Amino acid sequence: MTPQEILDQLRANFGEAILESKLDAPQPWISVAPNRTKDICFFLRDTASLQFDYLMCLSSVDNKDKQLSVVYHVWSTTQKHKIVLKAFCPRDNAHIQSVSSVWGTADWHEREAFDMMGIVFDEHPDLRRILCPDDYPGNPLRKDFKVPEFYQGIKVPY
Amino acid sequence: MGLLDKQFNNSNVILTSVEDLLKWARLSSLFQMQFGLACCAIEMMAASASNFDIMRFGVIPRATPRQTDLMIVAGTVTLKMATRIKRLYDQMSEPRYVISMGSCSNCGGPYWEHGYHVLKGVDRVIPVDVYVPGCPPRPEALLEGIIKLQEKIRNETLVKKSAYA
């Protein structure tokens, strides 16, 4: 299926929840409402003509002044087509619906995004930090992150 | 080393001081804590393997801090690991020695400026006896570090550990 057909199918089923799209980009993307990602992803996975059965990557992006976003690269191993989904959320109240019930891959990827960016994935089964220590202050990949002076009494800066 | 210099010919009698005997025993059986943190650990494994054979210096890996004399910090020490390294060091029985292997554990290495999660030198949490430079150091460099540590132990006295001098 072409990206345009995928977009039309999503528009027909979710209407309001499909926000923007840029289909002439090198990797065509569609942005969706952050509180509807689970339903949309279930639709992408289970519809016979789409069959997006493989989440290739889930990444988080800090768009500096504007917002945080999560980017989903999905691929269909049967239909051989792919599409990029984006979900934007405000910096100070970063909530996005978890898709870990759709693709198991998303579980740890969402934990990493939570650890590094502080994005809270609603309905995630086990949302803990995955890399940094549990008591680490802040989310290190946010653009406004400042390295702490001390961690447990250990001086951190060089 | 002087221990065997004072032996009588054709007998089993060796004259030495208790101090010399203890130092000889310590430096000849430096049991090493068996853990590695990053790519330096690969070089440490190479040093243990047959080409370099670190065991000919008496360095044998042990899997518990209670049985070890020597901690080789081989690799990047993250802040998460730093608290655990401190605990492992505290669990080792004295006399205990530390070799800091590679740039990361010496001073933070390539992560010195932007490593938000990297400890800038393991000497911020535990005292270090010998620093081995390199990124990563070759196995020969680690062997050199072991020999340096043995020299250091040889010059200790029972009253005072030279590591802190």
Side-chain angles (χ1 to χ4, degrees):
Chain A
M1 269 185 136
T2 64
Q4 185 63 51
E5 288 169 316
I6 296 168
L7 176 62
D8 292 342
Q9 209 158 343
L10 283 175
R11 279 248 163 81
N13 284 276
F14 294 96
E16 294 285 286
I18 310 301
L19 305 175
E20 304 170 56
S21 62
K22 186 168 167 54
L23 300 185
D24 55 350
Q27 292 185 323
W29 58 266
I30 301 168
S31 90
V32 301
N35 55 351
R36 296 294 303 281
T37 52
K38 190 173 85 176
D39 293 343
I40 293 168
C41 289
F42 264 125
F43 175 80
L44 286 174
R45 190 190 74 177
D46 295 336
T47 307
S49 58
L50 296 172
Q51 292 183 35
F52 283 103
D53 49 4
Y54 182 40
L55 176 66
M56 292 193 289
C57 188
L58 187 156
S59 17
S60 57
V61 182
D62 188 339
N63 303 303
K64 270 201 156 163
D65 304 335
K66 292 183 286 179
Q67 293 162 314
L68 304 174
S69 61
V70 172
V71 184
Y72 310 81
H73 288 74
V74 285
W75 164 254
S76 171
T77 56
T78 50
Q79 304 290 316
K80 311 284 184 203
H81 55 202
K82 63 182 162 192
I83 196 76
V84 178
L85 297 183
K86 291 185 181 184
F88 291 87
C89 62
R91 296 181 78 83
D92 47 353
N93 183 29
H95 279 267
I96 290 180
Q97 204 172 28
S98 168
V99 298
S100 58
S101 51
V102 187
W103 300 289
T105 317
D107 187 333
W108 282 18
H109 284 205
E110 286 177 345
R111 280 178 64 186
E112 189 183 1
F114 168 71
D115 190 354
M116 295 294 154
M117 288 283 188
I119 298 170
V120 178
F121 289 89
D122 299 320
E123 300 166 43
H124 190 282
D126 182 28
L127 196 64
R128 288 177 294 133
R129 280 183 182 268
I130 194 169
L131 296 167
C132 288
D134 291 337
D135 58 349
Y136 192 78
N139 306 102
L141 291 194
R142 281 208 188 186
K143 296 286 185 191
D144 55 359
F145 173 76
K146 293 272 186 298
V147 175
E149 199 66 24
F150 287 93
Y151 169 73
Q152 290 202 6
I154 306 165
K155 186 163 174 279
V156 180
Y158 184 72
Chain B
M1 75 170 67
L3 188 77
L4 298 179
D5 293 349
K6 296 159 202 155
Q7 68 177 343
F8 294 106
N9 287 330
N10 305 323
S11 83
N12 290 326
V13 180
I14 298 173
L15 288 180
T16 184
S17 63
V18 174
E19 192 169 85
D20 279 350
L21 182 69
L22 279 176
K23 287 191 295 191
W24 170 76
R26 277 176 193 169
L27 68 87
S28 314
S29 62
L30 284 168
F31 283 14
Q32 164 214 347
M33 184 128 60
Q34 191 175 30
F35 80 112
L37 300 181
C39 29
C40 281
I42 308 295
E43 298 297 310
M44 189 175 72
M45 287 178 234
S48 302
S50 50
N51 275 8
F52 297 97
D53 191 18
I54 207 168
M55 278 193 200
R56 65 203 153 111
F57 299 101
V59 180
I60 298 173
R62 304 297 296 171
T64 161
R66 312 283 182 197
Q67 298 175 357
T68 54
D69 315 289
L70 169 64
M71 176 191 261
I72 300 178
V73 184
T76 315
V77 185
T78 59
L79 293 172
K80 202 175 185 177
M81 192 64 198
T83 52
R84 287 137 170 94
I85 285 209
K86 175 85 170 64
R87 170 172 291 186
L88 285 170
Y89 179 77
D90 290 342
Q91 286 175 344
M92 289 165 71
S93 52
E94 288 180 333
R96 53 196 170 187
Y97 303 93
V98 177
I99 290 180
S100 166
M101 182 184 181
S103 296
C104 289
S105 72
N106 289 345
C107 62
Y111 313 101
W112 71 276
E113 190 174 13
H114 298 297
Y116 54 86
H117 64 297
V118 176
L119 184 70
K120 310 297 187 301
V122 75
D123 48 8
R124 289 190 179 184
V125 287
I126 54 174
V128 174
D129 293 283
V130 175
Y131 297 86
V132 179
C135 187
R138 282 191 56 87
E140 295 97 316
L142 180 60
L143 297 188
E144 173 79 15
I146 300 277
I147 292 166
K148 279 268 177 266
L149 179 63
Q150 290 183 335
E151 264 174 40
K152 203 167 181 176
I153 297 171
R154 196 169 291 133
N155 293 323
E156 277 180 1
T157 65
L158 278 182
V159 191
K160 191 178 173 201
K161 189 187 172 192
S162 72
Y164 301 109

